[in-house]
Amino acid sequence: MSGKHPRVSKSAGSTKRRRVIDLEQKINIIRRYEGGQSLTSIAREVGMPISTVSTIVKDSARIKEHVESSAPLKSTVITKRRSGIIYEMEKLLTIWMEDQIQQCVPLSLMAIQHKARSLFEDLKAKKGDTETSFVASHGWFNRFKARANFQNMRMNGEATGADNVASEYFPDVLAKVIKEGGYLPEQVFNVDEAGLFWKRMPDRTYISKEEKTTPGCKAGKDRLTLLLGGNAAGDCKLKPLLVYHSERPRAFKGISKATLPMTFRSNPKAWVTLALFEDWFVNCFIPEVEKYCLEKRIPFKILLVLDNAPDHPAHLDDFHPNIKVVYLPPNKTSLLQPMDQGVTFIFKAYYLQMTFAQARAVTEGEPGKTLQDFWKGYNIYQAIRNIATAWEDISKGCMNSVWKKLCPQFVHGFRGFDKDAAFKEVANKIVKLAQGLELEVDVVDIEGLIQSHAEELSSEDLMELEAQRLAEEAKEEDHEPVEEPKSFTPQEMSVAFREINTAMGRFESMDPNASRFMKVNRLIQDALACYREIYEEKKKATIQPSLDKFMRKFEWPACAPSTSSAPCTSSEPPATLAPDIKTEADLEDVKLVSVPSPSSAPH
């Protein structure tokens, strides 16, 4: 009989489970050891083997480094700092994927792998690296998806037959929702994001050619995102939301962002994120539509139609009981969404027209000023003003007609609106403006430029956007002094009013039509009324302190020393020393009068 003990088999239920130790526990162990406590006593107190405690202490340097990088203490994994071409490729790939998701473009594993390899090869060629290799395997993709926080991303192929059917029956479904809810066309809204390369020129212009050949000259890559929308009646255009990559652009010097003609927000990639959309929905959309309903004297109940973009929360119905949200079928946004049926396209044409008109006015009004000079000085603040004007130019007919596919029952009064005809009219105006700037541009160039705003970002575009973001972050870290906001002064306002009156006098001297001049002059004076109110308030605020300071010079002592034997019977100065001061002009006149000092005045 063997003297060995019989082998005891362990059941599956009695298998020893691996204990997970988070960073907070590890830091606690390290602090105890550094405080002079032995490994044996630490192991006994925390209930761990001495070998485990010893391993943690030996790895203390890496654990501390990870904690200093602001990792959550409940994390159990210490990640390595990643760098190199693959790391840079993944950052650019993340930007590309987020851009595709923003545009509701379906992504497949094959498409992502192909883009990853393409970006890797471009970066490898740029850096002259001949050794690093990358195959975009399934294992890499799973790790990348986790690192980039794309765990819940749905991988889609081409639009299926079900999507086509959904796009056909959805208008009927929406019509039923509208009928059951009793929604008026004034109460049905749609909003959509639109990317805008606000400083991009047609490809054949010499500015665009220079950007392609000159290193560091990539102004046309600077992009922002707009959220545009309105109602089916066409009479309510919402205040645009603009998202830019810089929180405080240099062009905003002295300007309060709250006074801009649109809601301004910032995001490193200039995209509408989930948090930004929720903020806009609660703090901008709800108050604006509630005010609109009050003015129209209609019930405050709103139906908002959205696409399935990732930045559109699924729980928007929970924010307000009077607002219902309906989502369009996936992959069919371009066929049904009203804002995609011509509004954003015509808007971008108007924006380009405004920009070219501004360029021509500057080059013609300032001798020696070229288009190149104007374009170098064209900044985001000027772009915002042109965006606001272009949005105002979108007509009620355009805003209503784009609902024809989704809500044909609401489109009745503007059947004459033609998107193609409207674009051709604007494009012809842009061509004429371009000719005045000595540019060879035709309607096809204008159409191509507008369509380029929605093109997929190339590898070069992605690199430029990332470099631009890093440059902006470096500028913000310079800690430049806070600029004083703009303010009115009575003196400058007085000069401005005088210059305006002089200019109107010149028009009057040239215009043989007195009625026309009086009409124009009245419109201008009415428009300036808000500035005149500010001027009067500023003037009063300036006069009162000056009067107080001036009158303090005449404060009379109870009885000043005097050689006269007559008793001092009054503490008031003579009447001639207290003139009647009512206006700033009276004050200036009094300052010119020589007044005897109280010590020399008779009592």
Side-chain angles (χ1 to χ4, degrees):
M1 184 174 178
S2 174
K4 293 183 179 180
H5 294 286
R7 181 176 297 175
V8 180
S9 61
K10 296 181 179 180
S11 64
S14 62
T15 303
K16 185 177 180 180
R17 299 183 64 183
R18 183 173 180 268
R19 180 176 179 180
V20 177
I21 308 171
D22 59 39
L23 284 176
E24 189 174 13
Q25 291 175 304
K26 293 178 181 179
I27 287 295
N28 181 38
I29 292 171
I30 293 169
R31 286 173 180 169
R32 287 171 178 261
Y33 180 77
E34 291 177 346
Q37 195 171 350
S38 66
L39 295 177
T40 304
S41 63
I42 295 174
R44 186 169 53 250
E45 291 180 7
V46 299
M48 297 181 188
I50 297 178
S51 59
T52 302
V53 174
S54 177
T55 301
I56 292 173
V57 170
K58 289 179 181 178
D59 203 26
S60 60
R62 196 158 64 98
I63 294 172
K64 289 179 180 179
E65 182 182 358
H66 189 62
V67 172
E68 289 174 356
S69 65
S70 301
L73 287 178
K74 291 300 179 183
S75 172
T76 61
V77 180
I78 302 176
T79 58
K80 296 180 180 179
R81 291 190 177 182
R82 307 176 66 251
S83 60
I85 294 179
I86 295 179
Y87 172 67
E88 293 184 22
M89 177 274 296
E90 288 183 355
K91 289 203 302 182
L92 300 182
L93 182 63
T94 301
I95 297 174
W96 174 79
M97 290 178 65
E98 289 178 350
D99 180 66
Q100 297 296 99
I101 294 170
Q102 286 282 334
Q103 299 183 41
C104 297
V105 177
L107 293 173
S108 65
L109 173 59
M110 187 178 297
I112 295 173
Q113 289 174 315
H114 175 75
K115 188 64 178 181
R117 285 190 289 265
S118 174
L119 286 169
F120 174 79
E121 293 300 328
D122 290 337
L123 285 169
K124 188 175 178 181
K126 182 179 180 180
K127 294 182 178 296
D129 188 335
T130 58
E131 298 181 356
T132 310
S133 60
F134 174 72
V135 295
S137 64
H138 284 263
W140 160 83
F141 173 74
N142 291 330
R143 292 189 297 273
F144 161 72
K145 189 171 67 168
R147 286 192 295 268
N149 198 28
F150 284 129
Q151 291 94 332
N152 297 324
M153 180 181 62
R154 290 188 303 172
M155 309 302 296
N156 298 315
E158 296 298 322
T160 62
D163 294 328
N164 294 324
V165 173
S167 65
E168 292 177 1
Y169 74 70
F170 184 79
D172 295 332
V173 173
L174 184 62
K176 184 178 180 181
V177 172
I178 292 172
K179 184 177 180 180
E180 291 177 351
Y183 292 102
L184 302 171
E186 289 84 0
Q187 297 167 325
V188 182
F189 283 78
N190 172 240
V191 294
D192 185 33
E193 293 85 355
L196 180 69
F197 291 93
W198 60 275
K199 207 170 181 180
R200 176 172 287 183
M201 292 283 279
D203 286 337
R204 287 201 292 164
T205 61
Y206 58 80
I207 291 179
S208 293
K209 292 178 181 178
E210 182 186 22
E211 285 194 346
K212 292 178 181 179
T213 57
T214 305
C217 183
K218 301 293 182 182
K221 303 292 185 183
D222 200 353
R223 187 177 68 164
L224 55 83
T225 300
L226 292 165
L227 184 68
L228 304 175
N231 65 355
D235 63 347
C236 180
K237 287 184 292 185
L238 298 171
K239 185 177 181 180
L241 168 67
L242 184 148
V243 183
Y244 194 51
H245 59 75
S246 175
E247 183 179 358
R248 186 71 189 178
R250 292 174 179 265
F252 284 6
K253 179 181 178 181
I255 297 171
S256 171
K257 289 186 288 187
T259 63
L260 294 174
M262 57 199 63
T263 304
F264 184 91
R265 295 291 185 269
S266 62
N267 173 267
K269 298 180 180 68
W271 285 319
V272 179
T273 62
L274 191 73
L276 287 179
F277 191 90
E278 286 187 359
D279 172 73
W280 168 83
F281 183 80
V282 174
N283 299 312
C284 300
F285 177 72
I286 293 177
E288 188 172 356
V289 295
E290 184 174 9
K291 180 181 177 182
Y292 166 78
C293 291
L294 184 64
E295 292 174 349
K296 295 287 290 186
R297 297 182 179 179
I298 58 177
F300 172 43
K301 59 176 182 178
I302 300 296
L303 179 65
L304 177 61
V305 181
L306 294 176
D307 58 32
N308 281 277
D311 58 293
H312 297 162
H315 56 279
L316 286 176
D317 283 342
D318 299 336
F319 284 102
H320 201 286
N322 294 356
I323 296 181
K324 181 179 178 61
V325 181
V326 176
Y327 294 90
L328 293 166
N331 304 328
K332 289 300 173 183
T333 300
S334 60
L335 297 179
L336 294 175
Q337 179 144 250
M339 294 299 110
D340 272 351
Q341 305 308 309
V343 172
T344 54
F345 191 82
I346 298 297
F347 160 77
K348 290 174 182 178
Y350 281 141
Y351 170 78
L352 189 61
Q353 178 187 347
M354 286 298 307
T355 306
F356 270 51
Q358 187 177 350
R360 186 165 178 178
V362 170
T363 54
E364 291 179 352
E366 302 180 29
K369 194 88 168 182
T370 64
L371 177 60
Q372 192 92 353
D373 297 330
F374 164 78
W375 208 243
K376 287 180 179 179
Y378 185 67
N379 56 47
I380 184 64
Y381 176 62
Q382 293 171 312
I384 286 176
R385 292 171 57 184
N386 288 340
I387 288 170
T389 304
W391 184 235
E392 289 177 2
D393 287 343
I394 298 294
S395 67
K396 181 179 179 180
C398 176
M399 293 295 292
N400 173 255
S401 65
V402 295
W403 290 81
K404 187 175 182 179
K405 293 182 178 179
L406 190 62
C407 300
Q409 70 273 24
F410 289 156
V411 182
H412 48 80
F414 302 103
R415 294 185 184 276
F417 179 82
D418 187 341
K419 169 192 168 185
D420 295 332
F423 168 72
K424 189 173 182 180
E425 180 182 354
V426 179
N428 287 331
K429 292 179 180 178
I430 297 174
V431 170
K432 290 182 180 178
L433 290 169
Q435 291 173 351
L437 296 168
E438 300 181 355
L439 297 177
E440 294 183 4
V441 177
D442 56 26
V443 174
V444 176
D445 294 324
I446 304 303
E447 185 175 6
L449 174 61
I450 294 173
Q451 290 176 344
S452 72
H453 293 284
E455 288 179 356
E456 179 182 325
L457 295 172
S458 65
S459 297
E460 184 183 3
D461 293 337
L462 293 168
M463 293 179 197
E464 288 295 334
L465 287 172
E466 181 64 14
Q468 193 175 66
R469 184 185 67 81
L470 294 175
E472 288 292 338
E473 287 182 355
K475 288 179 182 178
E476 292 177 359
E477 291 176 358
D478 288 342
H479 300 292
E480 295 182 357
V482 178
E483 300 289 347
E484 290 293 330
K486 291 182 178 181
S487 61
F488 292 101
T489 62
Q491 295 81 5
E492 288 298 318
M493 295 187 77
S494 177
V495 172
F497 286 132
R498 188 160 55 246
E499 290 176 350
I500 292 172
N501 290 335
T502 301
M504 292 308 299
R506 291 179 179 176
F507 280 113
E508 185 178 19
S509 65
M510 295 183 290
D511 194 346
N513 189 330
S515 298
R516 177 172 56 195
F517 170 78
M518 292 177 65
K519 180 179 179 181
V520 173
N521 188 56
R522 172 52 57 192
L523 290 173
I524 291 177
Q525 297 303 326
D526 290 344
L528 292 171
C530 59
Y531 287 133
R532 292 195 180 278
E533 291 179 4
I534 297 174
Y535 174 66
E536 293 298 330
E537 291 176 0
K538 291 287 183 181
K539 194 166 65 170
K540 288 178 182 178
T542 303
I543 292 174
Q544 190 58 47
S546 300
L547 285 174
D548 295 341
K549 183 178 179 181
F550 178 77
M551 293 304 296
R552 278 199 295 271
K553 294 181 180 180
F554 298 98
E555 290 180 358
W556 209 254
C559 188
S562 174
T563 56
S564 172
S565 59
C568 180
T569 59
S570 175
S571 62
E572 298 294 329
T576 55
L577 297 183
D580 185 15
I581 302 174
K582 296 180 180 179
T583 66
E584 190 175 11
D586 297 333
L587 177 61
E588 295 298 327
D589 293 339
V590 171
K591 288 180 180 179
L592 298 176
V593 178
S594 176
V595 181
S597 64
S599 60
S600 61
H603 288 268

